[in-house]
């Protein structure tokens, strides 16, 4: 039998490795930025075109590379960071595997320009699909410039799996923010399609957070500081009242490396226990410094997951530190009663002043059955006019004779007679009570074949979704004007998302008067939307836009309708009147697709009489 196992060609092996390292343009951004930091750069510039699909360029003023190093840097497993296996547990740098540049060069067109400070000229290297096209001497400033063009040009299937530019750009910005937050001592600049998106000068950690997420973030931050032998914690957590429905602003950095850890995230959530509204998540920007020997960062290709030597101790320390900070800055639930300032004791009252007890005078001779006209002593200081005696009520009745009787016989009562009936006609009972609400969650209605059970939240989502989608399509939504304009504050990136969706939002009933930097001013909202819900709707919308995975045929109007329906739908636990229940049922079955919610979940189930009969067997 012939041998069937063979070695893979280098270009195929590189493409397979690239699948682990490079998943999307954001992966390239992360690797190149980390290389620039390891090169001890003080200024790093990121240039993006078409969300990284056309161009990703990182320019730094680091120490650069020699001609030999520039060539070797694109070989697999070539690195200057480690020399033996023990070095994996003494890592103080970002990259260490030696796979990043080789993987990127296997699936893109790469141009590298680099020069060391002591050299007069630098080196220019051009690689396409792992093949070195040219290596020349070039005049270039100190540092390194890496340009990655036409990502996945030789793997069309992988390129087709990329999402829309909006989604891919969101991932690129996320990676940029993670690296910039971890290194406030480095100047960062970010240019997207020729426009400056970020310009972050050297600053302290708090100012770096404010520069990235907007000026309004400053008032939301609570500092966290803790220093122990095992763990050093520094950074900030957000105040509970500014918690968001999304998990966007949650950052853990271990030894200046961004990580994801559901276990440590639970420690933060438990520290906020009792302070957050249901369905909201706290913001945090925390730096954890531990001994490199106590962690293993070589367990995931993207190095965003870390294995800790003693997670339980870190959990307890982190939770205690956050709770201490929240308590130290008086972030605690309070009972806020309306207080009457007039009841406060004045401070200028004399200590020697005597307070006299009030005197009470009682008229012991008062008799309610005594004729008011009779004279009796009064001890009160005011006089009261004597009321007519009870006999005066009947004066004049005798003179009218039988006419009075006739008048009283024609008196009609306004109140109708109430009749207590225990058993009513069955048909009449069905007409009065057609629906019932169970646990403020389900609406039950009788049908000919048995019983109908409707999930009120999902059903209302379907109704609102089709209404909003029709309004956006037909562009005839009705808007209610606000007496006072509503000013909302978002980060520059969130305002950019709203600006992209402005036209569709206006078709649903929103009226925007101003969109500048970090402020959104709204003068009109869709009919039926309360002012307090506007901020929640826009936050949910931004989160959905950033986290959804739309394809090339994706409709922004569809996602907008889904997001608004999800925010405004009747929530589970809300009690509904009979008329509201019946209206919800009627509107649901007037929809084009009443069976499922916008997220393709069942809105109702039916139980036949036979199924009910089986329950009683």
């Amino acid at each position: 039998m012939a041998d069937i196992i063979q070695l893979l060609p280098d270009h195929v092996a590189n493409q397979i490795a690239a699948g682990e390292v490079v998943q999307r343009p954001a992966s390239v951004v992360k690797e190149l930025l980390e290389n620039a930091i390891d090169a001890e750069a003080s200024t790093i510039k990121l240039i993006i075109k078409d969300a990284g699909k056309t161009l990703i360029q990182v320019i730094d003023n680091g120490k650069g590379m020699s001609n030999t190093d520039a060539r070797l840097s694109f070989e697999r497993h070539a690195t200057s960071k480690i020399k033996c296996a023990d070095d994996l547990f003494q890592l103080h740098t970002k990259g260490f595997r030696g796979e990043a540049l080789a993987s990127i060069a296997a699936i893109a067109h790469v141009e590298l320009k680099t020069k060391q400070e002591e050299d007069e000229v630098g080196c220019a290297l051009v690689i396409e699909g792992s093949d070195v096209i040219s290596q020349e001497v070039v005049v270039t400033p100190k540092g390194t410039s890496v340009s990655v063009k036409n990502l996945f040009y030789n793997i069309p299937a992988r390129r087709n799996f990329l999402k829309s530019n909006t989604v891919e750009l969101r991932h690129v910005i996320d990676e940029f923010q993670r690296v910039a937050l971890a290194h406030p001592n480095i100047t960062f600049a970010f240019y997207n399609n020729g426009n400056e998106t970020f310009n972050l000068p050297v600053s302290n950690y708090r100012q770096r957070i404010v520069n990235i997420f907007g000026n309004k973030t400053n008032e939301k931050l609570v500092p966290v500081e803790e220093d122990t032998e095992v763990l050093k914690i520094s950074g900030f957590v957000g105040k509970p009242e500014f918690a968001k429905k999304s998990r966007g602003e949650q950052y853990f950095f271990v030894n200046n490396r961004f990580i994801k850890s559901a276990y440590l995230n639970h420690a933060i959530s438990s520290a906020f226990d009792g302070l957050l509204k249901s369905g909201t998540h706290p913001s945090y920007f925390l730096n954890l410094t531990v001994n490199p020997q106590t962690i293993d960062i070589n367990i995931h290709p993207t190095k965003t997951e870390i294995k800790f030597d003693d997670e339980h101790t870190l959990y307890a320390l982190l939770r205690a530190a956050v709770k201490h900070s929240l308590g130290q800055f008086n972030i605690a639930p309070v009972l806020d009663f309306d207080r009457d300032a007039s009841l406060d004791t004045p401070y200028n009252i004399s200590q020697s002043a005597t307070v006299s007890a009030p005197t009470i005078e009682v008229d012991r001779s008062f008799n309610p059955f005594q004729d008011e006209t009779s004279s009796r002593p009064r001890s009160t200081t005011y006089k009261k006019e004597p009321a007519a005696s009870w006999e005066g009520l009947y004066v004049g009745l005798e003179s009218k004779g039988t006419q009075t009787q006739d008048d009283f016989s024609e008196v009609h009562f306004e109140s109708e007679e109430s009749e207590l009936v225990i058993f009513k006609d069955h048909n009449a009972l069905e007409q009065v009570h057609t629906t019932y609400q169970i646990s403020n969650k389900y609406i039950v209605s009788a049908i000919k074949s048995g019983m109908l059970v409707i999930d009120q939240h999902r059903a209302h989502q379907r109704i609102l979704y089709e209404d909003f989608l029709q309004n956006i399509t037909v562009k005839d939504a009705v808007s209610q004007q606000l007496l006072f304009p509503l000013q909302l504050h978002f980060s520059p990136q969130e305002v950019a998302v709203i600006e992209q969706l402005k036209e569709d939002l206006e078709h649903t009933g929103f009226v925007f008067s101003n969109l500048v930097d970090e402020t959104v001013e709204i003068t009109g909202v869709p009919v039926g939307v309360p002012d307090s819900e506007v901020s929640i709707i826009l936050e949910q919308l931004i989160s959905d836009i950033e986290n959804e995975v739309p394809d090339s045929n994706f409709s922004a109007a569809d996602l907008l309708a889904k997001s608004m329906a999800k925010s405004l739908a009747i929530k589970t636990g809300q009690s509904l009147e009979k008329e509201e229940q019946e209206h919800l049922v009627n509107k649901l079955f007037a929809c084009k697709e009443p069976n499922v919610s916008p997220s393709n979940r069942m809105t109702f189930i039916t139980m036949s009489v036979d199924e009910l009969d089986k329950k009683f067997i």
Side-chain angles (χ1 to χ4, degrees), residues 268-561:
I268 303 294
S269 300
S270 61
F272 277 87
D273 192 22
L275 300 175
L276 297 177
K277 295 179 182 178
S278 177
T280 60
H281 307 282
S283 302
Y284 53 80
F285 312 87
L286 295 175
N287 295 299
L288 312 180
T289 304
V290 298
N291 188 341
Q293 294 182 349
T294 63
I295 59 174
D296 183 3
I297 61 178
N298 195 27
I299 63 171
H300 195 275
T302 61
K303 296 168 285 188
T304 55
E305 296 180 12
I306 289 181
K307 184 177 179 61
F308 293 94
D309 188 21
D310 188 1
E311 282 189 329
H312 298 289
T313 302
L314 299 183
Y315 182 99
L317 290 173
L318 187 59
R319 180 175 180 271
V322 174
K323 285 185 72 72
H324 174 72
S325 293
L326 293 175
Q328 184 179 5
F329 290 91
N330 296 324
I331 309 297
V334 295
L335 294 176
D336 187 14
F337 295 107
D338 292 333
R339 181 177 57 83
D340 188 356
S342 63
L343 299 178
D344 293 345
T345 303
Y347 289 102
N348 57 358
I349 189 171
S350 175
Q351 296 293 332
S352 60
T354 58
V355 180
S356 58
T359 59
I360 302 174
E361 296 182 0
V362 180
D363 183 7
R364 300 186 181 278
S365 62
F366 174 72
N367 184 0
F369 301 102
Q370 186 178 358
D371 189 356
E372 292 290 342
T373 57
S374 61
S375 59
R376 64 174 183 270
R378 305 286 292 181
S379 59
T380 55
T381 58
Y382 61 90
K383 294 182 179 181
K384 184 178 181 181
E385 294 294 332
S389 61
W390 63 272
E391 291 92 345
L393 296 175
Y394 300 95
V395 174
L397 291 179
E398 297 83 1
S399 62
K400 294 185 180 180
T402 57
Q403 183 182 357
T404 306
Q405 298 296 329
D406 294 338
D407 292 341
F408 275 102
S409 65
E410 296 177 0
V411 173
H412 297 281
F413 293 94
E414 293 183 1
S415 60
E416 299 179 356
E417 293 184 6
S418 60
E419 181 182 358
L420 180 62
V421 179
I422 298 177
F423 298 100
K424 290 186 178 180
D425 181 56
H426 179 67
N427 294 329
L429 185 63
E430 285 186 346
Q431 293 175 2
V432 176
H433 301 291
T434 56
T435 59
Y436 299 90
Q437 191 177 25
I438 299 177
S439 300
N440 291 338
K441 183 177 183 181
Y442 300 107
I443 297 174
V444 180
S445 179
I447 54 177
K448 289 183 179 180
S449 60
M451 183 173 63
L452 183 72
V453 183
I454 301 173
D455 186 310
Q456 64 183 36
H457 177 62
R458 295 181 185 176
H460 199 214
Q461 275 193 52
R462 164 55 61 178
I463 296 168
L464 292 177
Y465 167 70
E466 293 198 2
D467 286 345
F468 285 132
L469 198 58
Q470 181 180 5
N471 290 339
I472 296 173
T473 305
V474 182
K475 304 179 181 179
D476 63 349
V478 180
S479 175
Q480 65 181 31
Q481 298 300 306
L482 300 176
L483 185 60
F484 301 102
L486 195 62
Q487 285 195 346
L488 305 175
H489 299 280
F490 296 96
S491 67
Q493 297 75 45
E494 292 171 336
V495 174
V497 174
I498 295 174
E499 198 161 5
Q500 290 178 357
L501 300 171
K502 180 182 176 183
E503 185 176 352
D504 288 333
L505 283 169
E506 287 174 342
H507 293 158
T508 65
F510 283 99
V511 179
F512 297 91
S513 61
N514 199 6
L515 276 171
V516 180
D517 295 336
E518 303 169 14
T519 304
V520 176
E521 189 172 270
I522 299 174
T523 57
V525 296
V527 174
V529 176
D531 299 357
S532 58
E533 292 286 332
V534 174
S535 176
I536 299 174
I537 292 172
L538 293 181
E539 284 183 8
Q540 183 69 53
L541 175 62
I542 292 168
S543 174
D544 290 342
I545 291 291
E546 293 175 350
N547 298 322
E548 284 285 342
V549 283
D551 299 322
S552 57
N553 59 352
F554 165 75
S555 169
D558 183 75
L559 179 57
L560 175 60

Side-chain angles (χ1 to χ4, degrees), residues 19-312:
E20 297 180 352
V21 178
V22 183
Q23 300 171 356
R24 56 190 350 141
S27 306
V28 177
V29 171
K30 174 180 181 294
E31 298 293 345
L32 296 183
L33 288 178
E34 289 182 347
N35 285 344
I37 293 171
D38 287 341
E40 301 176 2
S42 61
T43 302
I44 300 175
K45 184 185 297 183
L46 172 63
I47 300 172
I48 296 292
K49 287 186 179 179
D50 296 332
K53 298 175 184 177
T54 302
L55 172 67
I56 301 171
Q57 184 176 9
V58 174
I59 305 171
D60 67 67
N61 64 345
K63 54 189 178 183
M65 291 181 285
S66 65
N67 292 354
T68 304
D69 287 343
R71 181 65 186 84
L72 280 176
S73 64
F74 288 95
E75 296 295 330
R76 290 193 67 196
H77 308 304
T79 178
S80 62
K81 313 299 172 56
I82 60 175
K83 292 182 174 58
C84 62
D86 293 338
D87 292 340
L88 289 173
F89 299 95
Q90 290 288 345
L91 289 172
H92 299 279
T93 57
K94 302 289 186 182
F96 57 88
R97 294 184 178 186
E99 290 183 354
L101 290 179
S103 299
I104 294 169
I107 54 174
H109 298 163
V110 180
E111 294 182 8
L112 172 72
K113 293 181 181 179
T114 183
K115 181 177 100 58
Q116 293 178 319
E117 187 172 12
E118 61 272 13
D119 295 338
E120 293 184 358
V121 292
C123 171
L125 198 63
V126 178
I127 300 177
E128 295 181 4
S130 297
D131 296 329
V132 179
I133 304 300
S134 66
Q135 183 171 357
E136 300 175 349
V137 175
V138 69
V139 176
T140 183
K142 173 209 168 188
T144 303
S145 171
V146 183
S147 299
V148 179
K149 302 176 181 178
N150 304 323
L151 195 65
F152 298 123
Y153 82 98
N154 53 353
I155 313 179
R158 289 294 303 275
R159 190 175 180 89
N160 292 336
F161 273 98
L162 295 179
K163 307 305 177 185
S164 66
N165 285 356
T166 303
V167 175
E168 294 298 341
L169 179 61
R170 179 68 255 176
H171 286 285
V172 170
I173 292 176
D174 284 344
E175 291 294 349
F176 176 82
Q177 289 176 346
R178 292 167 183 172
V179 175
L181 281 172
H183 300 276
N185 59 330
I186 298 176
T187 300
F188 286 92
F190 181 17
Y191 297 89
N192 176 38
N193 293 333
N195 299 319
E196 184 181 82
T197 305
F198 291 99
N199 190 353
L200 309 175
V202 175
S203 61
N204 57 31
Y205 191 47
R206 188 185 193 113
Q207 191 60 45
R208 176 56 58 91
I209 295 172
V210 172
N211 288 340
I212 291 177
F213 295 101
N215 294 327
K216 288 292 179 180
T217 311
N218 191 35
E219 63 188 53
K220 306 176 185 178
L221 300 178
V222 177
V224 178
E225 294 288 342
E226 191 68 40
D227 193 356
T228 66
E229 295 180 356
V230 179
L231 172 69
K232 180 180 179 181
I233 305 172
S234 64
F236 300 89
V237 295
K239 294 180 180 178
E241 59 265 30
F242 297 107
K244 293 188 175 183
K245 288 185 173 292
S246 62
R247 299 179 180 269
E249 297 178 1
Q250 295 186 342
Y251 296 89
F252 276 124
F253 300 98
V254 175
N255 296 350
N256 292 332
R257 183 191 300 274
F258 173 79
I259 68 156
K260 296 177 182 178
S261 173
Y263 188 68
L264 296 183
N265 179 72
H266 188 271
I268 303 294
S269 300
S270 61
F272 277 87
D273 192 22
L275 300 175
L276 297 177
K277 295 179 182 178
S278 177
T280 60
H281 307 282
S283 302
Y284 53 80
F285 312 87
L286 295 175
N287 295 299
L288 312 180
T289 304
V290 298
N291 188 341
Q293 294 182 349
T294 63
I295 59 174
D296 183 3
I297 61 178
N298 195 27
I299 63 171
H300 195 275
T302 61
K303 296 168 285 188
T304 55
E305 296 180 12
I306 289 181
K307 184 177 179 61
F308 293 94
D309 188 21
D310 188 1
E311 282 189 329
H312 298 289

